[in-house]
Amino acid sequence: MPVGLVLEGGGMRGWYTAGVLSVFTKNKITFPVVYGISAGSINALSYISGQSTEESIRVLIKYTGDKRVLSTENLDKTGSAFGFDFMFGEMFHTITPFDYKKFFKSPVRMEAGTTDMETGKAKFFGKEDMDDSFTVIRASCSLPMISNIVHFKGYNLMDGGYSQPIPIEHSIEEGNGRNIIVLTREASYRKSMKPEIDSPTLHKNYGEYPAFIKDVLHRPQVYNNELKLCADIEKAGKAIVIRPSRPIKIGRCENNPEILWKIYQLGIRDCTALLPKIHAFLKA
């Protein structure tokens, strides 16, 4: 029975996932398919290309404080706080060169989740849809209010976390009866039912996309339901859920390298502690 790897997003909490994937890379643990949402989709790129190493992580964390990566200046100039042109341009080609050849030749499939603003439903894209600028990944990470809508292949797209925050349902739908799920919140966490963005602001900025507005307003309930699904299939022995052993108390836009390094190390420690269980699960 195939085992899927499911990676949720979470902004800068994604450095926890990076730590987990570094352990997988070091121990040569692979999966036939990886499902990534938002920051999880970026982590999937490095993991599939075999670049989840400490050296590259140190460089990437160092650059999180660079205004070209994240800043109000970017927002004012381009409409997006995230400097995607810099991240997928100079960073991917010069600072920490991405191994495009290895990524696209890898037998590991990748599914990056976005939100189709017209329908409000999750729209997943595979390697065959990805260009050198990784437009699909930009869409998966484009948060409302601080990012532009991404127009791609006739779709109007934004962050996948607003339609399917944890892509476990998509993995199950694709036939993966067992899954390894990497979350970026501790076991007791549940979202407050208060929407992240109020209705008047949403209607002002995204009034032509009522389905997307509904996604944003209902995201807390959807997320909590997906957490329950993860817990249920874990209890049934159909999943291993790797999650922070302590709360990660940072905002989505945290850029303090020391704090992010500690989050990365937490991911390493938590995953390492679960290695015997993970190996047994994958062999079963």
Side-chain angles (χ1 to χ4, degrees), residues 179-182 234 238-242 274 277-279 281:
N179 289 274
I180 300 286
I181 306 167
V182 184
E234 181 181 33
K238 296 180 180 180
I240 289 180
V241 180
I242 305 170
L274 286 171
K277 185 176 180 180
I278 292 169
H279 282 303
F281 183 80

Side-chain angles (χ1 to χ4, degrees), residues 11-276:
M12 292 306 180
R13 291 193 310 277
W15 288 110
Y16 177 84
T17 303
V20 171
L21 297 182
S22 288
V23 175
F24 286 170
T25 299
K26 182 179 179 180
N27 288 272
K28 299 182 180 180
I29 296 174
T30 60
F31 301 82
V33 57
V34 182
Y35 303 88
I37 292 288
S38 197
S41 66
I42 294 179
N43 277 314
L45 294 179
S46 297
Y47 171 63
I48 294 173
S49 68
Q51 292 174 282
S52 300
T53 63
E54 184 170 311
E55 181 180 356
S56 61
I57 293 298
R58 283 186 181 275
V59 174
L60 290 171
I61 286 179
K62 176 183 176 182
Y63 271 87
T64 55
D66 192 305
K67 290 183 178 181
R68 292 172 293 178
V69 173
L70 176 66
S71 67
T72 55
E73 286 91 337
N74 287 338
L75 184 62
D76 293 337
K77 290 179 181 178
T78 69
S80 175
F82 296 96
F84 290 128
D85 287 342
F86 172 70
M87 292 163 63
F88 293 108
E90 187 174 346
M91 286 194 74
F92 261 44
H93 290 90
T94 305
I95 296 171
T96 54
F98 182 72
D99 195 334
Y100 287 88
K101 184 176 181 180
K102 188 173 181 180
F103 173 77
F104 285 109
K105 281 194 171 184
S106 170
V108 178
R109 278 202 310 118
M110 179 180 172
E111 292 279 308
T114 66
T115 296
D116 180 346
M117 298 185 73
E118 300 284 353
T119 65
K121 296 181 179 180
K123 175 65 179 176
F124 286 84
F125 295 91
K127 286 182 181 179
E128 65 279 6
D129 300 302
M130 296 185 192
D131 51 27
D132 286 351
S133 297
F134 286 110
T135 304
V136 165
I137 307 302
R138 296 183 187 214
S140 186
C141 299
S142 290
L143 295 168
M145 307 305 297
I146 62 170
S147 298
N148 295 311
I149 296 171
V150 175
H151 308 288
F152 183 70
K153 290 192 173 183
Y155 295 97
N156 298 316
L157 307 168
M158 289 208 85
D159 192 300
Y162 287 88
S163 52
Q164 198 169 136
I166 306 168
I168 180 60
E169 292 164 286
H170 186 55
S171 178
I172 293 173
E173 289 169 358
E174 288 212 321
N176 298 305
R178 300 189 303 147
N179 289 274
I180 300 286
I181 306 167
V182 184
L183 304 181
T184 58
R185 295 284 194 178
E186 72 278 11
S188 63
Y189 178 81
R190 296 296 180 275
K191 273 193 179 297
S192 162
M193 296 309 292
K194 181 180 178 180
E196 298 171 359
I197 307 170
D198 62 67
S199 183
T201 300
L202 286 169
H203 280 87
K204 179 181 177 180
N205 289 275
Y206 305 107
E208 62 185 301
Y209 302 108
F212 179 68
I213 292 174
K214 184 177 179 181
D215 278 347
V216 178
L217 294 176
H218 289 84
R219 184 171 185 261
Q221 181 179 347
V222 171
Y223 184 75
N224 291 340
N225 287 343
E226 289 182 345
L227 286 177
K228 184 179 184 303
L229 175 59
C230 290
D232 288 345
I233 61 176
E234 181 181 33
K235 186 177 180 180
K238 296 180 180 180
I240 289 180
V241 180
I242 305 170
R243 51 169 71 86
S245 53
R246 61 172 177 77
I248 298 177
K249 297 180 179 180
I250 61 168
R252 286 192 173 205
C253 299
E254 175 63 60
N255 62 4
N256 184 315
E258 184 177 343
I259 292 174
L260 298 176
W261 180 252
K262 289 180 179 179
I263 294 170
Y264 170 73
Q265 290 293 323
L266 179 64
I268 290 177
R269 290 196 299 273
D270 288 349
C271 186
T272 300
L274 286 171
L275 273 179

